[in-house]
Amino acid sequence: MTELERPSDAAAPPRRWIAHLDMDAFYASVELLRYPELKGQPVVIGGRRMHAPRTLEDGSRQYARLRDYTGRGVVTTSTYAARALGVYSAMGLMKAGLLAPDAILLPTDFDSYRHYSRLFKAAVAEIAPVIEDRGIDEIYIDLSAVPGVHEPVGHDPLGGVRAVAREIKNSVSRATGLSCSIGITPNKLLSKIASDLDKPDGLTVLTEEDIPTRIWPLPVRRINGIGPKAAAKLETLGIQTIAELAAAAPAMLIERFGRSYGAWLHEAAHGRDERPVVTHSEPVSISRETTFERDLHARHDRELLGRIFTELCEQLAADLQRKGYLGRTVGIKLRFEGFRTVTRDQTLALPIQDAAAIRQAAGQCLKRVDLSQRLRLLGVRMASLSRPGEAPPPPARIARPAQARLENLSLF
DNA sequence: TCTGGGGTCCTAGGACCC
DNA sequence: TCTGGGGTCCTAGGACCC
């Protein structure tokens, strides 16, 4: 008889066990499966094409080195050996090249990562099917209904949870040859933090009682949702650790960060989070964007920009059609030299899907931007998505056409 | 040697409607 | 010649995440 079935426990709410599973250095680890001789070496994944390994006549492979890279790429992932040299995700490859010139550079191969992503998720689903996708290399899993998870093992009241976690890790390893780290706690917020406490190949189970000793000493930045801006602002208030955030007066946090975010900061610091594991969600928007090798000028590089713009619209249209969506809101994104970013969008009366119509609407948006500065990025986005054959959108009040800039009329 | 590409959610002002 | 209140949609920007 499980504890849940005992009449005396009928009033007690069943304990939630939520896991966060994070694949260890995922892209890099997939590459090591293909190039095992690189194990233990500093390896960096990133950039665009051009630097794939070449196999020589004697069968040995020749790899690109970080020092040879020129361009605007960033580090997507690095092996633990590369991280030891200070090379982390999102760092510019040129900058990384200064820190680790001899590190091996491999191009990203998303098809391969997606393949292993499907494999590991399927392996988890065989044991625990309530899974929330959080991207290519991580998931949340609701273990609450997994058989045996609430059972103690020997003198360990958490033995059942640990056993299920080990089963999941073994299953992932068998299916992919890759390791992962798992955090298990009563909610998503804590599990996300916990999965990071013992990387790589980690397993951390925490209950509410562990919050003061295991969570509070950590920097606030470890909370998913506190980014660089919020952390910097908290620091000016003398708050660096989660303990200090937990001790801060909620009224003060609300005054400084607003009603919603301030209240959430307080709850998060106390480890409170009731969000469910969401097994299905529909996309809100679909987009395509590209950063140019060199900054382009709307007038000077008009033809090239026009071709890139058309191509982005075609790729976006293909994505929409492949995924089975139409959209009513077409938007553009521009990033200028100096990194200033601007967006414009326009909501149409009826949803569209084809490249020409997207190009037409996006072109209208483009005319509303001052294009005297050079551009480093151009993007096209579709939102207000619907399925073909779905009931038409509610009677749309279409905003008056936004004002185009006269000086742009001839450009797009 | 700066800073990819794909997303989500929130805020805030103005339009517009009842 | 002065002036409501609430609700929803649209748009732009920004923080944040993987």
Side-chain angles (χ1 to χ4, degrees):
Chain A
M1 186 187 286
T2 73
E3 65 179 34
L4 291 182
E5 290 167 316
R6 264 198 304 273
S8 59
D9 284 342
R15 187 193 268 291
R16 268 202 328 160
W17 281 121
I18 308 297
H20 179 258
L21 183 157
D22 199 299
M23 298 299 289
D24 298 323
F26 185 54
Y27 300 175
S29 303
V30 171
E31 297 295 346
L32 291 186
L33 292 176
R34 197 176 358 191
Y35 308 120
E37 69 267 29
L38 297 182
K39 214 164 285 177
Q41 295 196 51
V43 178
V44 171
I45 318 296
R48 279 191 286 197
R49 61 198 172 260
M50 299 314 288
H51 48 268
R54 291 188 308 139
T55 303
L56 303 181
E57 282 175 20
D58 64 359
S60 68
R61 291 197 191 89
Q62 198 175 44
Y63 299 98
R65 302 282 164 169
L66 206 42
R67 71 150 63 81
D68 300 324
Y69 182 85
T70 52
R72 291 183 152 168
V74 298
V75 175
T76 304
T77 333
S78 48
T79 59
Y80 291 95
R83 292 179 201 187
L85 300 171
V87 174
Y88 294 97
S89 297
M91 177 181 285
L93 283 172
M94 302 284 269
K95 187 175 171 189
L98 294 177
L99 295 168
D102 296 318
I104 283 160
L105 177 61
L106 296 173
T108 44
D109 174 9
F110 275 101
D111 290 340
S112 185
Y113 311 147
R114 266 190 293 269
H115 170 72
Y116 281 94
S117 181
R118 279 190 292 268
L119 287 184
F120 97 75
K121 288 169 188 173
V124 174
E126 282 182 22
I127 296 159
V130 183
I131 293 174
E132 176 174 334
D133 235 294
R134 295 306 304 189
I136 200 160
D137 69 340
E138 61 181 79
I139 52 176
Y140 289 104
I141 319 162
D142 192 335
L143 303 179
S144 309
V146 172
V149 77
H150 300 286
E151 303 286 345
V153 172
H155 291 300
D156 182 2
L158 304 181
V161 208
R162 287 189 224 281
V164 171
R166 277 194 297 270
E167 205 186 334
I168 290 174
K169 281 167 68 81
N170 287 338
S171 179
V172 167
S173 172
R174 241 180 286 121
T176 64
L178 301 170
S179 72
C180 62
S181 296
I182 300 185
I184 306 183
T185 79
N187 65 52
K188 296 206 285 192
L189 181 102
L190 291 172
S191 297
K192 171 80 181 170
I193 297 172
S195 68
D196 207 41
L197 289 177
D198 186 26
K199 258 182 167 301
D201 201 17
L203 169 52
T204 303
V205 182
L206 301 180
T207 68
E208 276 96 349
E209 294 84 74
D210 298 314
I211 291 174
T213 57
R214 305 296 301 279
I215 302 296
W216 282 356
L218 302 171
V220 292
R221 197 68 177 73
R222 296 286 196 93
I223 292 174
N224 194 251
I226 299 184
K229 301 285 180 176
K233 192 165 165 186
L234 284 167
E235 188 161 1
T236 68
L237 301 170
I239 296 172
Q240 284 178 285
T241 66
I242 301 177
E244 289 161 348
L245 183 59
M252 184 277 287
L253 293 173
I254 286 170
E255 187 195 322
R256 304 281 180 154
F257 291 92
R259 190 168 201 76
S260 162
Y261 194 66
W264 175 81
L265 282 174
H266 179 73
E267 291 297 298
H270 286 271
R272 295 193 281 259
D273 173 23
E274 293 299 315
R275 291 171 302 162
V277 168
V278 176
T279 55
H280 181 78
S281 63
E282 285 290 320
V284 173
S285 67
I286 296 175
S287 66
R288 282 281 184 150
E289 66 183 50
T290 188
T291 296
F292 315 131
E293 287 300 329
R294 61 175 178 91
D295 296 340
L296 300 178
H297 192 273
R299 208 166 346 99
H300 212 251
D301 302 298
R302 187 182 141 178
E303 274 187 47
L304 177 55
L305 265 175
R307 278 202 301 276
I308 293 170
F309 188 39
T310 300
E311 194 178 10
L312 286 168
C313 293
E314 286 166 352
Q315 290 169 337
L316 178 57
D319 292 344
L320 287 164
Q321 285 158 33
R322 180 163 38 80
K323 297 176 180 175
Y325 290 99
L326 295 91
R328 267 176 68 226
T329 303
V330 178
I332 57 159
K333 172 171 158 183
L334 305 176
R335 178 122 72 207
F336 295 97
E337 51 189 342
F339 228 65
R340 183 175 59 100
T341 305
V342 155
T343 63
R344 293 290 180 273
D345 59 47
Q346 182 190 6
T347 300
L348 308 169
L350 292 171
I352 58 171
Q353 192 181 40
D354 71 287
I358 293 170
R359 162 82 217 220
Q360 156 74 25
Q364 303 272 81
C365 293
L366 214 35
K367 289 180 181 169
R368 288 152 45 198
V369 185
D370 177 348
L371 296 173
S372 47
Q373 266 197 312
R374 278 194 300 224
L375 291 164
R376 67 174 286 142
L377 172 148
L378 181 59
V380 184
R381 187 178 101 105
M382 185 68 90
S384 314
L385 302 177
S386 58
R387 293 284 189 183
E390 213 175 70
R397 255 197 346 272
I398 299 310
R400 44 121 189 81
Q403 196 54 53
R405 291 178 161 260
L406 290 176
E407 71 268 23
N408 288 344
L409 289 181
S410 63
L411 292 176
F412 290 96

